Amino acid sequence: MIVTAAELFKVAYGKFAVGAYNINNMEQTHGLFRGAIQSQSPFIIQISRGARKYADKRMLEAMIRAAETIYPEAVFVVHLDHGDEATCYDCIDSGFYSSVMIDASHEPFEKNVEITRRVVERAHAKGVSVEAELGMLGGVEEDVKVEEGHACLTDPDQAKEFVELTGCDSLACAIGTSHGAYKFKGKQSIRFDVLQKIQQRLPGFPLVMHGSSSVPQSEIMRINAAGGKLDPTACGVNENEYLPAAKLGVTKINIDTDGRLIWTRVHREYFRDHPEDFDFRGPGRVFMSEYANFIASRSEKLGSANTLAEVRASILEQRKNKAA
């Protein structure tokens, strides 16, 4: 069942966060849906502009439509990740996406407000939720590249003003995380002090945390042992901080890099151990299973595991009341 982010966040707020995972191919799609069902968790399936170019937006939609049929129990959002204005409009008008993210965070405050407001008006007319961003995360991920010197935390007072001026449904905040595999140095962590101030100014409003992969050291080590050359000091977000963040209003947590690391590790190890093999379906099967287990493990950390029945019932009730 495809739902909007706004519907899902009403159930999740203050209790748990929903994992948002990017897909590019069939194996990721199967693994994501299987892991969500395995853990009885709702989820957000994210499609980036890079994925739309790589696989073609029609292929991605067809895969998700097929997965919805294969896994009828699933409750999920179809979300555009880091969209520009034109891509947001394309997704809104498609009738398929239930949520879009307009990322104008690189623009001055007033321009960000102006662009976001236009997207919100177009999206809400079609019943589509809108995520916006204020502040800039450092790091690199697909089309997003921000030098660390240009990264800036979200100002709590500006956050309140921004939401009031734009009417967005959720806000991605820069609270110390960054895109890619190299997030922190030393004992750095999520800036819970900034997050708390934002929640105080926007009580009950859904917040979003980007750049939240945990970058497990075990994955880095195994990739390098199988011929990779990743920086062994790569460090991500402590997954035990997901639920405390959820208690402070974070309802959506983006996790993408971890899935790429699992994909890379599985394929490097498989062909290292089976040098005579050339059938990509072998590592593909391993990845789908391992990725499903990873998704299930993250559902536990997010607090969303075993909430599927509650979420479905609540959203159906929301829709019933709205129609009455």
Side-chain angles (χ1 to χ4, degrees), residues 241-313:
E241 293 185 341
Y242 293 159
L243 195 53
K247 301 295 184 181
L248 290 173
V250 173
T251 51
K252 174 176 177 280
I253 293 182
N254 289 17
I255 303 171
D256 181 32
T257 297
D258 286 346
R260 296 169 187 246
L261 292 174
I262 294 168
W263 173 273
T264 301
R265 186 259 300 166
V266 165
H267 284 73
R268 281 192 174 277
E269 288 185 341
Y270 186 91
F271 286 113
R272 177 198 64 189
D273 298 339
H274 304 276
E276 76 290 347
D277 204 346
F278 57 87
D279 188 347
F280 57 81
R281 291 175 295 186
R285 291 188 187 95
V286 175
F287 172 77
M288 286 188 283
S289 176
E290 296 237 357
Y291 193 47
N293 290 336
F294 169 78
I295 295 297
S297 73
R298 288 300 173 263
S299 297
E300 294 287 345
K301 295 294 185 180
L302 293 162
S304 63
N306 300 311
T307 66
L308 196 58
E310 173 196 352
V311 166
R312 179 185 291 273

Side-chain angles (χ1 to χ4, degrees), residues 143-174:
D143 295 320
V144 180
K145 183 176 182 180
V146 177
E147 299 294 336
E148 292 302 328
H150 295 286
C152 58
L153 299 179
T154 301
D155 179 271
D157 291 324
Q158 275 198 335
K160 182 177 187 296
E161 183 182 4
F162 184 85
V163 169
E164 291 173 347
L165 290 172
T166 64
C168 62
D169 300 288
S170 62
L171 183 66
C173 303

Side-chain angles (χ1 to χ4, degrees), residues 123-192:
H124 285 182
K126 296 285 186 72
V128 175
S129 299
V130 177
E131 173 187 331
E133 182 167 354
L134 187 64
M136 287 196 292
L137 277 66
V140 179
E141 190 165 12
E142 293 199 352
D143 295 320
V144 180
K145 183 176 182 180
V146 177
E147 299 294 336
E148 292 302 328
H150 295 286
C152 58
L153 299 179
T154 301
D155 179 271
D157 291 324
Q158 275 198 335
K160 182 177 187 296
E161 183 182 4
F162 184 85
V163 169
E164 291 173 347
L165 290 172
T166 64
C168 62
D169 300 288
S170 62
L171 183 66
C173 303
I175 51 174
T177 62
S178 62
H179 291 118
Y182 309 101
K183 302 183 184 301
F184 299 122
K185 293 180 180 179
K187 295 184 178 180
Q188 285 179 302
S189 177
I190 294 171
R191 289 289 303 273
F192 281 101

Side-chain angles (χ1 to χ4, degrees), residues 230-250:
L230 296 182
D231 185 343
T233 66
C235 181
V237 175
N238 183 341
E239 64 269 26
N240 292 317
E241 293 185 341
Y242 293 159
L243 195 53
K247 301 295 184 181
L248 290 173
V250 173

Side-chain angles (χ1 to χ4, degrees), residues 18-269:
V18 182
Y21 309 93
N22 292 61
I23 64 149
N24 300 270
N25 58 27
M26 180 201 74
E27 290 83 1
Q28 285 180 309
T29 306
H30 270 302
L32 174 53
F33 275 79
R34 289 178 188 175
I37 297 303
Q38 183 178 320
S39 57
Q40 289 293 286
S41 174
F43 63 98
I44 295 169
I45 190 165
Q46 298 204 132
I47 300 173
S48 67
R49 283 180 289 163
R52 284 160 60 91
K53 294 174 186 174
Y54 172 71
D56 191 289
K57 62 184 181 181
R58 294 164 295 183
M59 181 65 74
L60 293 168
E61 179 176 339
M63 286 195 301
I64 297 170
R65 293 282 191 197
E68 185 182 19
T69 301
I70 296 167
Y71 306 96
E73 190 181 351
V75 175
F76 61 100
V77 174
V78 179
H79 177 75
L80 169 68
D81 189 27
H82 286 288
D84 57 18
E85 192 170 1
T87 308
C88 282
Y89 293 154
D90 184 66
C91 293
I92 292 165
D93 295 341
S94 73
F96 176 58
Y97 290 73
S98 58
S99 177
V100 297
M101 179 200 179
I102 173 62
D103 184 0
S105 60
H106 55 284
E107 300 283 0
F109 181 82
E110 293 76 12
K111 187 69 172 179
N112 189 353
V113 167
E114 178 186 328
I115 294 170
T116 301
R117 183 65 219 174
R118 286 199 298 263
V119 172
V120 167
E121 290 173 355
R122 182 91 158 251
H124 285 182
K126 296 285 186 72
V128 175
S129 299
V130 177
E131 173 187 331
E133 182 167 354
L134 187 64
M136 287 196 292
L137 277 66
V140 179
E141 190 165 12
E142 293 199 352
D143 295 320
V144 180
K145 183 176 182 180
V146 177
E147 299 294 336
E148 292 302 328
H150 295 286
C152 58
L153 299 179
T154 301
D155 179 271
D157 291 324
Q158 275 198 335
K160 182 177 187 296
E161 183 182 4
F162 184 85
V163 169
E164 291 173 347
L165 290 172
T166 64
C168 62
D169 300 288
S170 62
L171 183 66
C173 303
I175 51 174
T177 62
S178 62
H179 291 118
Y182 309 101
K183 302 183 184 301
F184 299 122
K185 293 180 180 179
K187 295 184 178 180
Q188 285 179 302
S189 177
I190 294 171
R191 289 289 303 273
F192 281 101
D193 57 330
V194 176
L195 176 58
Q196 190 170 35
K197 289 176 182 177
I198 295 172
Q199 188 198 31
Q200 288 171 350
R201 288 159 177 75
L202 289 168
F205 188 81
L207 304 176
V208 177
M209 205 162 77
H210 282 231
S212 299
S213 283
S214 59
V215 191
Q217 280 292 302
S218 59
E219 295 292 343
I220 299 293
M221 291 173 63
R222 290 175 68 176
I223 288 170
N224 288 346
K229 292 185 178 179
L230 296 182
D231 185 343
T233 66
C235 181
V237 175
N238 183 341
E239 64 269 26
N240 292 317
E241 293 185 341
Y242 293 159
L243 195 53
K247 301 295 184 181
L248 290 173
V250 173
T251 51
K252 174 176 177 280
I253 293 182
N254 289 17
I255 303 171
D256 181 32
T257 297
D258 286 346
R260 296 169 187 246
L261 292 174
I262 294 168
W263 173 273
T264 301
R265 186 259 300 166
V266 165
H267 284 73
R268 281 192 174 277
E269 288 185 341

